[in-house]
């Protein structure tokens, strides 16, 4: 007798081994029709999977992410099948499902153009209409290699598998692909598919490998759901900071400067300056002391910190260790520099905590395929900081960091859009992490307890920690649904010892401090990208590079326009005046496209009455308002950082 415990806690009993699909049928035919995979003992399995012992089971439909993944992963194989029918010489790489769709990577002599995508999509519909049978089978390694002998990327994947791993395949009609699954039982549910774009992608994400052609696509059960998704994608394109930020002249890129090295233009620089001044002032209020440290250092410093052993591939190294007496590297982090400052004098427990802060320019050697707009770049500006404290102070200091982050996220209006991830080490990845299992487990327990005391709703993630300790990652999704880490808070158990950092405790003994690595607003470039997408370019007034634009009706009123501008500037507001000999309607349209919060039109009547004619982003046409009234209104809005 096999007992299967379902998600609701109920137990079903079966006399013999039984497939996940048949278990679904035993519950209801409707569930079986809509089921796409199952989670058996915590592992996602195909509906064909046979349960032969007491197990837990959750049946997954399209309503679950697991069900969507199985559905779309099957669609990715249909995509590959269609491409092979139309372009037989193309070689297959990989085709996983992703959060809102799927992709497949192909090694093709030429990139796919829009006309190709249309043909491939039509071929996919033909295949779905044919509805060939889907089969799963396994082969020993030698037979698997023989079957895939004409597919070099599949051969590499097979050779990457451990000797005890199962090598499985899925067959759709006459098309066979190496795949772990799961797949749905039939192609019939694939009623709404759409190929979205084709881009380049390096094999295995490594820029040293060949560039492949990646086709992005999505699939739904209903055309109406696909249409809604495509509409959301169009809205996302409008909000995409990479497009909108350039249109608003916040940043630009130039191939002569280099990839991942955006040029922040005057308006974008003004926004970052506003954020930076606010953050630095707030950190000072909370007891942080400022440091200013070099942009590079000798390799010796990074060898002490461990970056040379665990992070060198992500650093820009200046010089050759075999040829040069002195090798430098651009800094990827500020921590070794601030620890060196700490060690410049002996500290007592009475000195702690010491909270160091620095607006630091950092450099990361990102792969070219990973870079995107302002979100992932090779040079960035971080609101960095490190807190050196006693063990007794650790929890209170950690809480203080989270409090600061909460204040900043709430003020920016994005507190409801973030999530928390508790990132831990992977004990099997000793190249990536300092290999001290006892310290890792102890520090992770400490952080978990602190997070629980703070009532933070977090998920845990293995193999996402820093090389020296676990971290709390604050996550934010961009308009395309990709999740990025915007802020991290880390507890460091290793570097105090590596740098021989000590303090004299109450008992007169030297002891090791705890260190909290933290940011308060994260990377300013990434924050700017996030704000552009959050507000579709219409940033809160206090952040706008131009808070009011003054439009004289003709050059006869330029002097009054200057007076209005000076009144606003004297209150610390950011103003532009448009003196061009253009029609007023044209000037207004341009100012609106620039997302200017206040458009102030001035002419004869306004000059006589010391007024301005106001068009605000919030209220539209507001008519004539006394100048001093409006100046106070905008100044208060900015001072209170209203959203």
């Amino acid at each position: 007798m096999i007992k299967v415990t379902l998600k609701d806690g109920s137990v079903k009993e079966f006399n013999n081994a039984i497939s996940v699909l048949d278990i679904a049928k035993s519950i209801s035919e409707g569930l079986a029709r809509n089921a796409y995979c199952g989670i058996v003992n915590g592992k996602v399995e195909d509906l064909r999977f046979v349960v032969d012992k007491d197990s837990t089971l959750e049946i997954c439909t399209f309503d679950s992410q697991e069900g969507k993944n199985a559905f779309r992963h099957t669609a990715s194989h249909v995509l590959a099948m269609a491409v092979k029918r139309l372009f037989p010489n193309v070689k297959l790489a990989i085709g996983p499902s992703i959060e809102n769709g799927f992709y497949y990577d192909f090694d093709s002599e030429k990139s796919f153009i829009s006309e190709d995508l249309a043909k491939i999509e039509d071929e996919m519909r033909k295949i779905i209409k044919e509805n060939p049978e889907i089969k799963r089978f396994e082969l020993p390694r030698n037979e698997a290699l023989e079957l895939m002998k004409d597919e070099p990327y599949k051969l590499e994947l097979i050779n990457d598998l451990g000797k005890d791993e199962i090598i499985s395949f899925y067959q759709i009609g006459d098309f066979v692909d190496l795949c772990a699954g799961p797949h749905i039982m039939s192609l019939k549910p694939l009623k709404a598919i759409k190929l979205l774009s084709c881009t380049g992608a390096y094999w295995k994400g490594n820029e040293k490998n060949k560039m492949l052609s990646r086709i992005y696509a999505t699939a739904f059960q209903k055309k109406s759901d696909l249409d809604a998704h495509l509409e959301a994608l169009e809205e996302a394109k409008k909000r995409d900071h990479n497009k909108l930020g350039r249109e608003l002249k916040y940043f630009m890129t130039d191939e002569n400067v280099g990839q991942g090295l955006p040029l922040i233009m005057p308006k974008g620089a003004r926004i970052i300056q506003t954020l930076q001044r606010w953050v630095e002032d707030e950190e000072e209020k909370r007891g942080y002391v400022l440091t200013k440290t070099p942009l590079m250092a000798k390799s010796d410093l990074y060898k002490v910190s461990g970056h040379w052993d665990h992070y060198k591939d992500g650093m820009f190294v200046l010089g050759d260790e075999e040829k040069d007496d002195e090798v430098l590297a651009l800094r990827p982090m500020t921590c070794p520099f601030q620890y060196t400052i700490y060690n410049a004098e002996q500290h007592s427990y009475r000195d702690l905590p010491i909270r160091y802060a620095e607006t630091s320019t950092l450099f990361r050697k990102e792969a070219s395929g990973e870079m995107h707009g302002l979100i992932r770049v090779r040079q960035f500006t971080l609101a960095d900081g490190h807190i050196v404290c006693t063990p007794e102070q650790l929890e209170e200091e950690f809480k203080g960091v989270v409090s600061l982050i909460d204040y900043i996220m709430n003020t920016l209006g994005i507190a409801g859009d973030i999530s928390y991830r508790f990132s831990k080490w992977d004990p099997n990845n000793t190249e990536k992490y300092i290999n001290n299992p006892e310290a890792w487990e102890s520090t992770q327990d400490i952080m978990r307890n602190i997070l629980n005391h703070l009532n933070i709703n977090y998920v845990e993630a293995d193999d996402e920690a820093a090389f020296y300790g676990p971290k709390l990652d604050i996550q934010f999704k961009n308009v395309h649904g990709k999740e990025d880490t915007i802020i991290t808070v880390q507890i460091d158990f290793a570097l105090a010892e590596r740098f021989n950092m000590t303090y004299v405790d109450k008992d007169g003994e030297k002891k090791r401090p705890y260190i909290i690595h933290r940011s308060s607003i994260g990377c300013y470039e990434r924050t700017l990208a996030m704000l552009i997408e959050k507000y579709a370019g219409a940033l809160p007034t206090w952040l706008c590079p131009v808070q009011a634009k003054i439009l004289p009706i003709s050059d006869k009123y330029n002097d009054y326009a200057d007076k209005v501008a000076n009144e606003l500037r004297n209150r610390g507001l950011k103003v532009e005046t448009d003196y061009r000999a253009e029609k007023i309607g044209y000037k207004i349209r341009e100012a609106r496209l620039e997302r200017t919060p206040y458009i102030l039109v001035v002419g004869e009547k306004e000059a006589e009455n010391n007024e301005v004619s106001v068009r605000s982003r919030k209220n539209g046409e507001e008519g004539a308002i006394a100048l001093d009234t409006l100046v106070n209104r905008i100044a208060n809005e900015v001072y209170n950082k209203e959203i």
Side-chain angles (χ1 to χ4, degrees), residues 554-621:
S554 74
D555 57 9
K556 290 190 293 183
Y557 307 107
N558 286 356
D559 288 345
Y560 183 63
D562 288 341
K563 177 189 173 183
V564 172
N566 288 332
E567 291 278 346
L568 290 160
R569 287 194 185 102
N570 288 339
R571 293 294 296 275
L573 301 173
K574 304 179 184 79
V575 184
E576 274 187 6
T577 308
D578 188 345
Y579 298 115
R580 294 176 302 163
E582 298 282 358
K583 290 183 178 180
I584 195 67
Y586 177 80
K587 291 185 187 181
I588 290 170
R589 282 194 298 276
E590 272 204 347
R592 289 177 63 187
L593 287 173
E594 292 168 358
R595 314 301 201 268
T596 308
Y598 289 92
I599 302 170
L600 312 180
V601 178
V602 296
E604 181 180 5
K605 180 183 174 185
E606 289 80 13
E608 286 177 357
N609 298 325
N610 203 36
E611 295 175 336
V612 287
S613 182
V614 179
R615 288 168 171 80
S616 72
R617 204 169 58 195
K618 181 179 180 182
N619 301 321
E621 179 69 60

Side-chain angles (χ1 to χ4, degrees), residues 140-334:
R141 185 177 297 270
N142 61 331
E143 292 182 30
L145 292 170
E146 175 63 24
L147 180 62
M148 292 285 108
K149 63 183 179 182
D150 295 325
E151 296 288 349
Y153 299 97
K154 302 298 180 181
L155 293 177
E156 186 173 335
L157 291 172
I158 293 169
N159 287 322
D160 286 344
L161 293 172
K163 63 178 182 179
D164 296 325
E165 290 190 61
I166 293 170
I167 303 175
S168 59
F169 296 84
Y170 278 83
Q171 181 170 352
I172 303 175
D174 59 357
F175 174 75
V176 178
D177 201 354
L178 174 74
C179 184
H183 283 279
I184 60 179
M185 299 299 293
S186 160
L187 299 185
K188 280 185 179 179
L190 300 175
K191 291 184 169 63
I193 56 168
K194 183 66 180 175
L195 302 190
L196 302 171
S197 63
C198 182
T199 64
Y202 291 109
W203 170 236
K204 294 185 175 179
N206 187 334
E207 62 185 340
K208 295 177 182 177
N209 292 335
K210 187 170 184 180
M211 176 75 78
L212 305 177
S213 292
R214 174 173 294 177
I215 297 178
Y216 281 102
T218 193
F220 288 84
Q221 299 177 110
K222 303 175 189 172
K223 185 177 183 300
S224 58
D225 290 340
L226 173 62
D227 291 342
H229 178 71
L230 295 177
E231 187 177 329
L233 287 181
E234 286 303 310
E235 178 62 26
K237 286 179 185 176
K238 294 176 188 175
R239 289 176 174 263
D240 187 342
H241 84 278
N242 212 7
K243 174 178 180 290
L244 193 51
R246 295 171 195 269
E247 291 174 356
L248 293 170
K249 298 180 180 178
Y250 289 169
F251 77 98
M252 61 173 285
T253 52
D254 186 278
E255 61 181 18
N256 291 324
V257 175
Q259 193 178 10
L261 298 169
L263 301 164
I264 309 299
M265 301 170 78
K267 288 183 177 180
R270 180 63 68 86
I271 298 168
I272 290 176
Q273 181 189 58
T274 301
L275 289 167
Q276 184 178 325
R277 287 175 173 175
W278 167 54
V279 168
E280 288 179 350
D281 288 346
E282 186 61 33
E283 288 177 336
E284 187 175 0
K285 289 177 190 175
R286 295 179 186 238
Y288 285 85
V289 293
L290 202 60
T291 64
K292 187 171 177 60
T293 56
L295 299 181
M296 65 184 78
K298 292 164 57 178
S299 59
D300 304 50
L301 182 71
Y302 303 119
K303 287 173 182 175
V304 174
S305 68
H307 288 94
W308 205 252
D309 291 333
H310 298 281
Y311 205 82
K312 184 181 174 184
D313 288 344
M315 297 167 65
F316 289 100
V317 177
L318 311 176
D320 188 321
E321 286 185 277
E322 295 182 2
K323 298 177 182 177
D324 301 323
D325 294 334
E326 185 175 84
V327 175
L328 299 169
L330 299 178
R331 64 180 182 184
M333 289 94 170
T334 315

Side-chain angles (χ1 to χ4, degrees), residues 9 23 52 103 235 239-240 276 303 324 335 375 385 387 391 399 419 427 436 466 504 556 570-571 603 623:
I23 295 173
D52 58 4
Y103 67 79
E235 178 62 26
R239 289 176 174 263
D240 187 342
Q276 184 178 325
K303 287 173 182 175
D324 301 323
C335 39
I375 288 179
I387 300 171
K399 287 179 180 178
S419 60
N436 187 338
V504 178
K556 290 190 293 183
N570 288 339
R571 293 294 296 275

Side-chain angles (χ1 to χ4, degrees), residues 370-594:
E370 294 295 317
M371 288 179 287
H372 173 66
L374 297 177
I375 288 179
R376 191 171 289 277
V377 292
R378 284 175 168 162
Q379 176 184 308
F380 58 94
T381 311
L382 185 69
D384 208 355
H386 300 86
I387 300 171
V388 186
C389 62
T390 67
E392 296 79 17
Q393 295 166 335
L394 180 64
E395 180 161 347
E396 200 59 34
E397 289 303 309
F398 196 101
K399 287 179 180 178
V401 171
V402 173
S403 171
L404 173 58
I405 293 169
D406 284 347
Y407 164 70
I408 287 173
M409 294 295 101
N410 278 296
T411 305
L412 294 176
I414 56 178
D417 302 309
I418 62 174
S419 60
Y420 297 91
R421 183 179 75 189
F422 172 30
S423 296
K424 304 179 296 181
W425 82 312
D426 178 359
N428 298 314
N429 194 348
T430 53
E431 287 187 11
K432 181 177 176 181
Y433 302 106
I434 290 173
N435 190 17
N436 187 338
E438 185 177 340
W440 273 105
E441 294 306 319
S442 171
T443 311
Q444 288 179 171
D445 286 344
I446 289 169
M447 182 176 277
R448 186 182 290 105
N449 287 334
I450 293 173
L451 297 179
N452 291 339
H453 293 162
L454 286 167
N455 292 318
I456 288 177
N457 184 19
Y458 62 88
V459 296
E460 296 194 13
D462 293 328
D463 199 24
E464 294 290 348
F467 74 81
Y468 46 73
K471 57 193 175 95
L472 173 66
D473 289 325
I474 289 84
Q475 306 291 104
F476 184 90
K477 286 186 179 179
N478 68 18
V479 290
H480 302 293
K482 183 180 182 300
E483 189 172 87
D484 291 297
T485 300
I486 56 170
I487 299 172
T488 64
V489 186
Q490 304 148 21
I491 297 178
D492 177 355
F493 65 79
L495 298 195
E497 183 173 352
R498 282 175 169 263
F499 279 88
N500 195 27
M501 297 167 68
T502 62
Y503 68 93
V504 178
D505 206 356
K506 296 174 185 177
D507 57 8
E509 296 293 322
K510 284 187 177 182
K511 295 181 181 175
R512 299 278 183 220
Y514 269 96
I515 302 170
I516 300 173
H517 300 239
R518 49 103 275 180
S519 182
S520 49
I521 195 173
C523 161
Y524 283 100
E525 291 83 358
R526 186 172 286 186
T527 299
L528 175 56
M530 177 178 63
L531 291 170
I532 292 169
E533 295 188 352
K534 165 71 177 178
Y535 293 107
L539 304 182
T541 301
W542 72 276
L543 282 172
C544 284
V546 178
Q547 293 158 340
K549 197 156 191 176
I550 304 156
L551 313 180
I553 289 175
S554 74
D555 57 9
K556 290 190 293 183
Y557 307 107
N558 286 356
D559 288 345
Y560 183 63
D562 288 341
K563 177 189 173 183
V564 172
N566 288 332
E567 291 278 346
L568 290 160
R569 287 194 185 102
N570 288 339
R571 293 294 296 275
L573 301 173
K574 304 179 184 79
V575 184
E576 274 187 6
T577 308
D578 188 345
Y579 298 115
R580 294 176 302 163
E582 298 282 358
K583 290 183 178 180
I584 195 67
Y586 177 80
K587 291 185 187 181
I588 290 170
R589 282 194 298 276
E590 272 204 347
R592 289 177 63 187
L593 287 173
E594 292 168 358

